[in-house]
Amino acid sequence: ARNNPFGAAAPRKVGITETALRDAHQSIMATRLRTEDMLPVAEALDEVGYHSLEVWGGATFDACMRFLDEDPWERLRQLRRRIRKTKLQMLLRGQNLVGYRHYADDVVREFVRRAVGNGIDIVRIFDALNDLRNAEVAADQVKKEGAHLQMGISYTTSPVHTLDLFARQAQDMVGMGADSICIKDMAGLLSPMDAAALVSAIKARVDVPVQVHSHYTSGLAAMSYLAGIQAGADVVDCAISPFAMGTSQPATETLVAALQRGPYDTGISLEKLLPVSEHFTRLREKYQGQILGMAGVDINILLYQVPGGMYSNLQSQLKEQGALGRLREVLEEVPRVRREMGYPPLVTPTSQIVGTQATMNVLAGERWKVVPKEVRQVFLGYYGRTPAPVDPQVQKKVLGDEKPIVCRPGELLEPELEAARAEVAPWILQPEDVLSQVLFPAVAKDFLPRKFARTTKQDVGLQTLEGEAAYPV
Amino acid sequence: ARNNPFGAAAPRKVGITETALRDAHQSIMATRLRTEDMLPVAEALDEVGYHSLEVWGGATFDACMRFLDEDPWERLRQLRRRIRKTKLQMLLRGQNLVGYRHYADDVVREFVRRAVGNGIDIVRIFDALNDLRNAEVAADQVKKEGAHLQMGISYTTSPVHTLDLFARQAQDMVGMGADSICIKDMAGLLSPMDAAALVSAIKARVDVPVQVHSHYTSGLAAMSYLAGIQAGADVVDCAISPFAMGTSQPATETLVAALQRGPYDTGISLEKLLPVSEHFTRLREKYQGQILGMAGVDINILLYQVPGGMYSNLQSQLKEQGALGRLREVLEEVPRVRREMGYPPLVTPTSQIVGTQATMNVLAGERWKVVPKEVRQVFLGYYGRTPAPVDPQVQKKVLGDEKPIVCRPGELLEPELEAARAEVAPWILQPEDVLSQVLFPAVAKDFLPRKFARTTKQDVGLQTLEGEAAYPV
Ligand SMILES: [Co+2]
Ligand SMILES: [Co+2]
C-alpha cells in the first residue's frame, strides 16, 4: 500500500566505495597491479565523486613487497598526493593487521598510526570470528588518530547467526566508537532478502551509516546491494566494470545506472566513469595472463553455502589424495565440523581450518582422530572466541586436559617493535620500515636492504645479506 | 512503515522460464546447439519445476536448417516427447514469425497451427515497433489453437514511451486475448526502478500475469528482475548458470537462491538444477570456440542507451569506412534520428536501420541526404506504425510526394502457401516442410531435398537439384 513500488527506506544519496585498487584487484588478479599502473588513473578517480576509494590493506601490503619489490607505504603516499578530494580507505584484519597472525598491541597501534599518517581516512576493521576483542586495540587507535572507524561484521549463516546477534554486534561496535558499520560478505552468500532484513535490523538498533560489501561469486551481490539500499544501506562497495563481477564486486557503472534519477541516486555521472573504465580495460588487457577467477556464477556456493575458494581447495586437496569421489561426503561433513567448532564464519583462515578438518574426518575413517595444529589452536582460544561454544566432547578429544585461554589473544603477546627495529636498523629509511619487518620478516629481510640500496645508491654490501637478498648494484 | 523490508507486492510463488535452449543459446553461442546436445538433458529439465522452458522460435528455426542441417519441427517433437510435465514456450516475431520479413496471413496462421500442433504450449508474440496490428493475426490463431497467448512489449526509453503508454498497450493486448504480458527488454536497458514502476503500472491496469525478460549486458538484469518481482511480476526469464549473464539472461540458480525461503520463493530446489548445470557446463566446454559475447558489463549501453550489438555494429561500420574517430558523433546522432523516425525501440531490425541512417547522416555531411531502402520503408509504413509520428519535414525529404500506407502491412500480402507447396512438392515429408520453404526459401531449397533423401534413403537425383544442393548419396 505504498505509492512508490521501489524501496522501503527514505530517499537519500547512496555512496559508492570503489574497490578497483584493493579488493577487486586482489580478487581478480591476485594483487599484481603496480603503483605505476594506478597513478595515471588517480586524478580521474578523484573526479568521480565516490564515497571513498579502497586502495590499501588486505593482501596488497604483502604482495607489494613480495611480488612487486615495491614499498606499500610509498604507494599510499603517491596515491594520496594525487587523490586530494576523495577519502582513502583500507582494510585491516583486526589484530592480524594486513598479515596472517596476531601481532602484539604495540605493533597494532604503530601500524594504525602510520597508516593514517600516510593518508588513510577510513579504516575498515574486522575479525574472522567476529570476536570484537581482536579488533579492540586497532579500533581504539583509529579513534585516537581521528580517522573514520568502520567496523565490519563477517557475514555468515548458522543457527546462532541471527539478525539479533548481528544487530547486537553492531551496537557493540558503535559502543567501541565505530563511525559506520560494514556488512562484510566475503563469500557472496548474502541473499537480497537477508541483506534487506539485516540492514533493517542494524538500522533499527544503531544510528550510524551502514555499508554493504559483497562478492559476485554466486551472482547475488548486485541484488543484495539493491535490497540492502531499499532497506536503508548508505554505501555499497563496487568495482569499475573491467574489474567487476565474478569473484570481485558488482560493477560501479551498473549500480550508478540502477539508482540514477531515483530516490537513491548516487550523484555519480556515467561520463566521469568512462575514463576510469577505459584505464582499467587497458590494465585488463596488459595483465591478461594474470586475470584469475571465473566470470560466471558458482552454483556450489549456493548449494553448500561455502565460499568458492573453499570449494575449489577441497576439490584439489581430495584430488591430491586420489579421493575426489568423496567430495560430497566432505561437503556434508563441513556443517557438522562447523557446528562442533562453534560456527566460525567461513572466511580466511577459518574456511581452510574447517575444510581441512572435514577432509580429515572423512578420510581418516574416524571423526576428530587426526587434528591439525590450527584446529587445536581454535579450540585453545588462540583465534578468539567462537560465535557459539565449541562441542565439549570434541574439545575433550582434541585438547585432552589442556585448558583453553579465555583472555583476549593479543594480551599474551610481548611487544615486538623494539626487537624488529634493531634487526633492520641498517636499512631503515622511514619509521614504517620497522612495521614491514615485523609483519613479513622473511620478505622484508630481502626487500628492505634492496630498497635501501636503490634509494641511497649505496652498495649495501653483499656480505651483510643472506642468500637471495644479494642486490645487483 | 512496513514490517517486511523486502518487497511491496503480496507473497506469491514466482515462476522461472528457462531460456537455455532458446534465448541463452542464441545469445551466447549463436544458436549452434544440436538437438542431440539438448535431448540428454530434457528429462532433467522436466524435473526442475520451471514455469516453462523456452525451446523454440527466434533465430533457432533458421539456424537449425541453415547451419545444422536439422529439421526444426523434428527438434520440437523430440523435446516434447521427453518433456511431459513442463510447458514449452516459443518466441514469435508477430507477422515476421521466425524470419526477417512480414509473411502473408495464411502463412502466419498455418505456422502457429503447426507450432502448437507439434507441442508448443505458450507462444510469446511481439513486434519491434509495438504495432499490435503486426501481432494480431498470429495472436488470433494462438487463441484458436487453445494455446497460451503471451504478448510481449518491446521495452525502450523515449519521451513517448511513458508508463501510461506501456500500460495501455498491455490493456490492448489483454483485449486481444493475451493470457499474460511480457516486458521484453532485448537490450538490457531496463533499470530496476523502471522495472518496478512498469510492473506496477501494468498490474494496476490488467489482471493477467506479468513476466519480465531482460539481458545481462549492462549488468542490470538481475536487479531489475528483483525489483520487478517486489512490485508484482509473476515470472522471470533465466538461463542456467553456464549459459547465463553477459549477453544472456540472469542465472537460474542465482534467482532461485535469491528468492528461496522468502515471500517470492520459486519452489525450485538447487539440487534439481545441479544436473542441468552440469550438462550445460559440458556443452560450454564442447563448444568453447563458439562461445560468443562478452562476460562483463558494457558501459556504453548505459551511457548511450543503445543495445550492445548496435554499439559494436556502429564501431565496425565506421572502422570499415576509416571513420572510427566519428563514433561519438554517430552515437549522438542516434537519438536525433530516432526522434525523427518516431522513436522506434532499438531492436532487430530497427536498431540496424536507425544505426545505419545515423552513420550516413554523419558521414555524408548532410542529414538525410543518403537514405537506404529500409529507412524509406519505415517512412512508407511497411514496418508498421511508429510509436510517435515521424518528423513531417524529414518524411518529405525521404519520400517526396509518395504517400505512406496506413493499413496493417500484412494486409497487402497475397497468400503464399500454395505457391510454396507446389515448389517443394517432390520433397514434402510433412505439412511443415511447406512452412520451412516459405520462411527460408534459399535455405530450404537445399535442405528439404537433402532431408528427403536422408529419410527415404532415395537418391533424389542430382539433376533435380541446383548447385550446392547436390546430395552425396
Ligand atoms: Co572482499
Ligand atoms: Co531476449
Side-chain angles (χ1 to χ4, degrees):
Chain A
R2 286 175 299 135
N3 298 329
N4 173 16
F6 189 68
R12 71 204 175 282
K13 183 172 166 173
V14 165
I16 300 225
T17 292
E18 172 63 59
T19 68
L21 295 182
R22 208 288 298 173
D23 197 340
H25 155 218
Q26 180 173 328
S27 298
I28 71 159
M29 48 176 300
T31 54
R32 294 302 199 278
L33 284 188
R34 309 190 65 90
T35 301
E36 67 188 41
D37 296 319
M38 301 176 174
L39 299 184
V41 78
E43 272 97 357
L45 284 167
D46 200 19
E47 288 305 318
V48 169
Y50 287 114
H51 168 76
S52 65
L53 294 163
E54 195 196 38
V55 298
W56 211 66
T60 64
F61 189 98
D62 179 14
C64 244
M65 292 197 293
R66 189 186 299 266
F67 303 115
L68 309 173
D69 196 20
E70 279 190 20
D71 183 13
W73 302 98
E74 181 59 21
R75 172 183 291 180
L76 174 55
R77 287 189 294 263
Q78 293 282 352
L79 288 169
R80 178 78 286 178
R81 207 161 295 150
R82 288 161 182 82
I83 299 169
R84 292 157 173 283
K85 297 184 284 192
T86 315
K87 291 200 166 75
L88 296 184
Q89 182 164 337
M90 75 164 294
L91 180 70
L92 197 80
R93 306 188 187 110
Q95 200 83 13
N96 289 2
L97 298 174
V98 293
Y100 306 100
R101 65 166 178 93
H102 286 321
Y103 299 99
D105 294 348
D106 66 332
V107 178
V108 172
R109 290 193 184 275
E110 172 71 358
F111 188 92
V112 169
R113 201 175 291 132
R114 296 295 169 183
V116 175
N118 281 287
I120 290 295
D121 301 297
I122 303 175
V123 185
R124 177 181 295 169
I125 305 182
F126 80 104
D127 175 66
L129 292 177
N130 288 323
D131 182 349
L132 295 186
R133 299 173 308 166
N134 289 333
E136 127 194 342
V137 176
D140 180 63
Q141 195 63 37
V142 170
K143 295 304 285 185
K144 287 207 170 92
E145 300 303 319
H148 178 114
L149 171 62
Q150 177 170 89
M151 296 194 69
I153 297 174
S154 297
Y155 177 74
T156 190
T157 55
S158 90
V160 301
H161 287 93
T162 58
L163 289 180
D164 186 61
L165 176 76
F166 285 131
R168 274 188 287 119
Q169 250 157 18
Q171 217 169 3
D172 291 344
M173 288 170 166
V174 172
M176 289 167 71
D179 300 297
S180 63
I181 301 292
C182 175
I183 298 169
K184 195 168 167 350
D185 173 32
M186 311 74 53
L189 292 173
L190 183 72
S191 83
M193 206 162 45
D194 293 335
L198 189 48
V199 169
S200 288
I202 293 174
K203 280 273 176 180
R205 204 77 72 96
V206 301
D207 222 13
V208 299
V210 172
Q211 184 154 358
V212 186
H213 172 89
S214 187
H215 288 254
Y216 223 95
T217 338
S218 63
L220 292 169
M223 283 188 280
S224 303
Y225 282 9
L226 179 67
I229 289 165
Q230 290 172 329
D234 300 280
V235 186
V236 290
D237 283 10
C238 297
I240 197 79
S241 61
F243 273 45
M245 302 172 80
T247 45
S248 177
Q249 272 77 52
T252 304
E253 298 95 316
T254 303
L255 263 292
V256 166
L259 302 175
Q260 223 167 25
R261 289 181 293 276
Y264 314 125
D265 197 325
T266 63
I268 294 174
S269 80
L270 289 170
E271 282 76 13
K272 290 203 171 164
L273 290 171
L274 197 55
V276 177
S277 174
E278 285 167 352
H279 180 80
F280 283 93
T281 299
R282 285 191 294 272
L283 288 181
R284 217 188 143 95
E285 281 156 15
K286 177 176 172 187
Y287 291 105
Q288 214 165 4
Q290 291 179 50
I291 297 292
L292 301 169
M294 30 135 261
V297 158
D298 192 339
I299 185 174
N300 293 295
I301 295 172
L302 299 171
L303 207 49
Y304 300 108
Q305 299 271 302
V306 300
M310 179 172 175
Y311 182 83
S312 42
N313 275 350
L314 289 176
Q315 256 188 326
S316 52
Q317 271 180 27
L318 287 170
K319 209 172 201 172
E320 269 172 38
Q321 317 248 5
L324 193 54
R326 310 193 67 178
L327 179 60
R328 191 153 187 138
E329 274 174 88
V330 171
L331 286 166
E332 285 162 3
E333 173 70 2
V334 165
R336 284 191 288 269
V337 170
R338 229 185 125 216
R339 174 169 46 74
E340 291 159 333
M341 292 182 74
Y343 294 116
L346 294 177
V347 45
T348 306
T350 39
S351 52
Q352 291 88 328
I353 295 174
V354 169
T356 306
Q357 188 62 52
T359 305
M360 290 181 166
N361 283 0
V362 167
L363 296 189
E366 184 191 327
R367 306 187 68 238
W368 300 101
K369 189 179 164 194
V370 187
V371 176
K373 178 170 147 255
E374 289 78 10
V375 174
R376 267 184 64 85
Q377 287 183 320
V378 170
F379 281 94
L380 282 169
Y382 287 128
Y383 284 88
R385 199 185 290 123
T386 52
V390 300
D391 181 292
Q393 277 173 299
V394 174
Q395 178 182 321
K396 180 82 189 157
K397 192 155 183 189
V398 171
L399 297 187
D401 289 331
E402 209 171 338
K403 284 276 163 280
I405 65 166
V406 290
C407 67
R408 176 174 72 86
E411 261 178 54
L412 303 174
L413 302 172
E414 295 299 320
E416 306 181 75
L417 275 180
E418 282 321 307
R421 187 168 292 129
E423 251 179 293
V424 293
W427 324 121
I428 290 185
L429 291 167
Q430 55 180 359
E432 291 83 358
D433 291 336
V434 181
L435 288 163
S436 304
Q437 168 69 18
V438 182
L439 267 79
F440 299 101
V443 178
K445 84 168 179 350
D446 299 349
F447 171 76
L448 291 177
R450 219 159 44 219
K451 176 162 78 87
F452 182 84
R454 192 166 50 228
T455 311
T456 60
K457 312 275 185 231
Q458 280 178 41
D459 185 342
V460 298
L462 295 181
Q463 70 288 353
T464 64
L465 297 177
E466 298 163 23
E468 303 233 308
Y471 171 68
V473 183
Chain B
R2 287 174 299 134
N3 297 331
N4 174 16
F6 189 68
R12 71 205 175 282
K13 183 172 165 173
V14 165
I16 299 225
T17 292
E18 172 64 57
T19 69
L21 296 182
R22 208 287 299 174
D23 197 340
H25 156 218
Q26 180 173 330
S27 298
I28 69 159
M29 47 177 299
T31 53
R32 295 302 199 278
L33 284 188
R34 309 191 66 89
T35 301
E36 67 188 41
D37 295 321
M38 302 177 173
L39 298 184
V41 78
E43 272 97 356
L45 284 167
D46 200 20
E47 288 305 317
V48 168
Y50 287 114
H51 168 76
S52 66
L53 294 163
E54 196 196 37
V55 298
W56 211 65
T60 65
F61 189 99
D62 179 15
C64 243
M65 292 196 293
R66 190 186 298 266
F67 303 115
L68 309 174
D69 196 21
E70 279 191 18
D71 183 13
W73 303 98
E74 181 59 20
R75 172 183 291 180
L76 174 55
R77 287 188 293 263
Q78 293 281 352
L79 288 169
R80 179 77 287 178
R81 208 161 295 151
R82 287 161 183 81
I83 300 168
R84 293 159 172 281
K85 297 184 285 192
T86 315
K87 291 200 164 76
L88 296 185
Q89 182 165 336
M90 74 164 295
L91 180 70
L92 196 80
R93 307 189 187 109
Q95 200 83 14
N96 288 1
L97 299 174
V98 292
Y100 306 100
R101 65 167 178 91
H102 286 321
Y103 298 99
D105 294 349
D106 67 331
V107 177
V108 172
R109 290 195 184 276
E110 172 72 358
F111 188 90
V112 169
R113 203 174 291 133
R114 296 295 169 182
V116 175
N118 281 288
I120 291 295
D121 300 296
I122 303 175
V123 185
R124 177 181 295 168
I125 304 182
F126 80 103
D127 175 67
L129 292 176
N130 288 322
D131 182 349
L132 295 186
R133 300 173 308 167
N134 289 334
E136 126 194 343
V137 176
D140 181 62
Q141 196 63 37
V142 170
K143 296 304 284 185
K144 286 208 170 92
E145 300 302 319
H148 178 114
L149 171 63
Q150 177 171 88
M151 297 194 69
I153 297 174
S154 297
Y155 176 75
T156 190
T157 56
S158 90
V160 301
H161 287 93
T162 59
L163 289 180
D164 185 62
L165 176 76
F166 285 130
R168 274 188 287 119
Q169 250 157 19
Q171 218 168 2
D172 292 344
M173 288 169 166
V174 171
M176 288 166 72
D179 299 296
S180 62
I181 302 292
C182 175
I183 298 169
K184 194 167 169 352
D185 173 32
M186 313 72 54
L189 292 172
L190 183 71
S191 83
M193 206 163 44
D194 294 335
L198 189 48
V199 168
S200 288
I202 293 174
K203 280 273 176 181
R205 204 76 71 95
V206 301
D207 222 13
V208 299
V210 172
Q211 183 154 358
V212 186
H213 172 90
S214 187
H215 288 254
Y216 223 96
T217 338
S218 63
L220 292 169
M223 283 188 279
S224 303
Y225 282 8
L226 180 67
I229 290 166
Q230 290 172 328
D234 300 280
V235 187
V236 290
D237 283 10
C238 297
I240 197 78
S241 61
F243 273 45
M245 302 173 80
T247 45
S248 177
Q249 272 77 52
T252 305
E253 299 95 315
T254 303
L255 262 292
V256 166
L259 302 174
Q260 223 168 24
R261 289 182 294 275
Y264 314 126
D265 197 325
T266 63
I268 294 174
S269 81
L270 290 170
E271 281 76 13
K272 290 202 172 165
L273 290 171
L274 197 56
V276 177
S277 174
E278 286 168 351
H279 181 81
F280 282 94
T281 299
R282 285 190 295 271
L283 289 181
R284 217 188 145 95
E285 281 156 14
K286 177 176 172 186
Y287 290 106
Q288 215 166 4
Q290 292 180 50
I291 297 291
L292 301 169
M294 31 135 260
V297 158
D298 191 339
I299 185 175
N300 293 296
I301 296 172
L302 299 170
L303 208 48
Y304 300 109
Q305 298 272 302
V306 301
M310 179 174 175
Y311 182 83
S312 42
N313 276 349
L314 290 175
Q315 256 188 327
S316 52
Q317 271 181 26
L318 287 170
K319 210 172 201 171
E320 269 172 39
Q321 317 248 4
L324 194 53
R326 310 194 68 179
L327 179 59
R328 193 157 184 133
E329 275 174 87
V330 171
L331 286 166
E332 285 162 1
E333 173 70 3
V334 165
R336 284 191 288 268
V337 170
R338 229 184 125 217
R339 174 169 47 75
E340 291 161 334
M341 292 182 74
Y343 293 115
L346 294 178
V347 46
T348 306
T350 38
S351 52
Q352 291 88 328
I353 295 175
V354 169
T356 306
Q357 187 62 53
T359 306
M360 290 181 166
N361 283 0
V362 167
L363 296 189
E366 184 192 327
R367 306 187 68 238
W368 301 101
K369 189 178 164 194
V370 187
V371 176
K373 177 170 147 255
E374 289 78 10
V375 174
R376 267 184 64 82
Q377 287 182 320
V378 171
F379 281 94
L380 282 170
Y382 287 128
Y383 284 88
R385 199 185 290 123
T386 53
V390 299
D391 181 292
Q393 277 173 299
V394 174
Q395 179 182 320
K396 179 82 189 158
K397 192 155 182 189
V398 171
L399 296 187
D401 289 332
E402 208 172 338
K403 285 276 162 281
I405 65 165
V406 291
C407 66
R408 176 175 72 87
E411 262 177 54
L412 303 174
L413 302 172
E414 295 299 321
E416 305 180 76
L417 276 181
E418 282 320 308
R421 186 169 291 128
E423 250 180 293
V424 294
W427 324 121
I428 291 186
L429 291 167
Q430 55 180 1
E432 291 83 356
D433 291 336
V434 180
L435 288 163
S436 303
Q437 168 68 18
V438 182
L439 267 77
F440 299 101
V443 178
K445 86 169 178 352
D446 299 349
F447 171 75
L448 291 177
R450 218 158 44 220
K451 177 163 78 86
F452 182 84
R454 193 167 50 228
T455 311
T456 60
K457 313 274 187 232
Q458 280 180 39
D459 186 340
V460 298
L462 296 180
Q463 69 287 354
T464 63
L465 298 176
E466 299 163 23
E468 303 234 307
Y471 171 69
V473 184

